[in-house]
Amino acid sequence: MHVVILAGGKGVRLRPYTSALPKPLVPIGEEYAILDIILQQLTSQGFTNATLAVGHLSPLIRAFVGDGSRWDLKVDYTEEVKPLSTIGPLFPIRNQLPDDFLVMNGDVLTTLNYAEVLTRHTSSGLPLTVATSPRVVKIDFGVLEAQAGRIVGFKEKPLLSYLVSMGVYALSRETIAHYEDGLPFGFDELVLDLLAKDTPPGIFEFDGYWLDIGRPDDYDEANARFDEIRAQLLPARERVR
């Protein structure tokens, strides 16, 4: 079971924290880096191999993770000379990856079972499976529906429900077999390509705890709630630390 962890971004939205540390290494709960929690979860769920796609402040990530033996993982690295977005880092290493593998952002804090996402994908035969979370957005205005210059409908401050990508997905190597190495290529572009080819991705719906630590407010929330959710996030052997 192989995972590629995207850990090369500059974390611009999380500055000033990421001025000195890459985002996957910012501390959570004063004891753990985000990446530490992720690697513990992956090991406890049966993952054996991990590739870290690194770039920004990569020597710090390499020094922290090393060969992965601390987590009973075999870890290797792929280095971005220039930013390659979310899917582009996979192209140079695709021949080293298994037929099906997990891809995830290195700043995700969630109780999602990553192994279940990969297992579901492997048995589905789909090109891509995206872990999703429900989100409700409140519109703080009265919303008008208009036709031919007249109001034909009205909703006062409606709630809009969406499924959003969690930054965790399972991928088949064949899905990225024909893209050119070295070009920036994003998850959004891959999804649009698959839709254009009439080969739509699947979804893995999840309604548990998930936080994408992209902004200072998110980071503050993660730290504020860590003691509350620690038992859900960490494998049993770590909860007593």
Side-chain angles (χ1 to χ4, degrees):
M1 294 178 66
H2 195 116
V3 57
V4 178
I5 301 175
L6 304 173
K10 293 184 177 180
V12 174
R13 292 182 300 155
L14 200 56
R15 289 176 178 168
Y17 302 113
T18 50
S19 297
L21 286 173
K23 187 160 54 170
L25 295 190
V26 295
I28 297 291
E30 299 182 357
E31 298 177 68
Y32 305 95
I34 301 171
L35 186 56
D36 183 9
I37 294 172
I38 290 172
L39 293 175
Q40 289 184 48
Q41 292 174 324
L42 290 164
T43 298
S44 71
Q45 294 169 16
F47 284 83
T48 55
N49 296 74
T51 298
L52 270 60
V54 295
H56 177 61
L57 298 175
S58 64
L60 295 180
I61 294 179
R62 289 176 180 267
F64 180 79
V65 177
D67 63 2
S69 56
R70 173 181 163 192
W71 297 272
D72 296 324
L73 285 168
K74 295 179 180 178
V75 172
D76 57 25
Y77 299 86
T78 179
E79 185 94 23
E80 295 181 45
V81 177
K82 62 179 182 179
L84 296 175
S85 193
T86 46
I87 299 296
L90 305 176
F91 299 161
I93 61 169
R94 59 190 142 204
N95 292 332
Q96 304 165 34
L97 297 172
D99 290 341
D100 299 286
F101 53 94
L102 194 78
V103 182
M104 64 178 294
N105 294 339
D107 60 354
V108 174
L109 204 60
T110 180
T111 56
L112 173 71
N113 189 307
Y114 303 116
E116 289 183 1
V117 179
L118 182 55
T119 299
R120 172 88 63 82
H121 171 76
T122 301
S123 63
S124 71
L126 295 171
L128 172 70
T129 299
V130 182
T132 64
S133 179
R135 282 295 181 268
V136 177
V137 178
K138 182 181 179 181
I139 306 299
D140 289 326
F141 303 95
V143 175
L144 306 175
E145 182 182 353
Q147 291 180 4
R150 294 177 181 267
I151 295 174
V152 297
F154 176 80
K155 292 182 180 179
E156 177 64 21
K157 298 180 179 179
L159 298 177
L160 304 180
S161 298
Y162 299 96
L163 285 179
V164 301
S165 169
M166 295 174 61
V168 178
Y169 31 95
L171 192 59
S172 297
R173 186 175 59 189
E174 177 61 27
T175 304
I176 58 171
H178 306 296
Y179 292 102
E180 183 179 347
D181 288 1
L183 295 179
F185 194 79
F187 167 77
D188 55 335
E189 295 171 282
L190 178 61
V191 171
L192 291 172
D193 267 7
L194 292 173
L195 293 175
K197 296 173 183 175
D198 199 25
T199 54
I203 61 173
F204 184 100
E205 296 189 59
F206 177 72
D207 61 1
Y209 180 80
W210 168 64
L211 186 63
D212 176 6
I213 303 176
R215 302 169 302 172
D217 288 349
D218 302 322
Y219 180 54
D220 292 342
E221 179 185 342
N223 277 292
R225 293 196 59 191
F226 183 73
D227 286 342
E228 174 190 342
I229 62 174
R230 174 177 177 148
Q232 302 173 55
L233 288 170
L234 294 171
R237 68 176 182 271
E238 283 290 328
R239 296 173 191 167
V240 297
R241 273 180 52 176

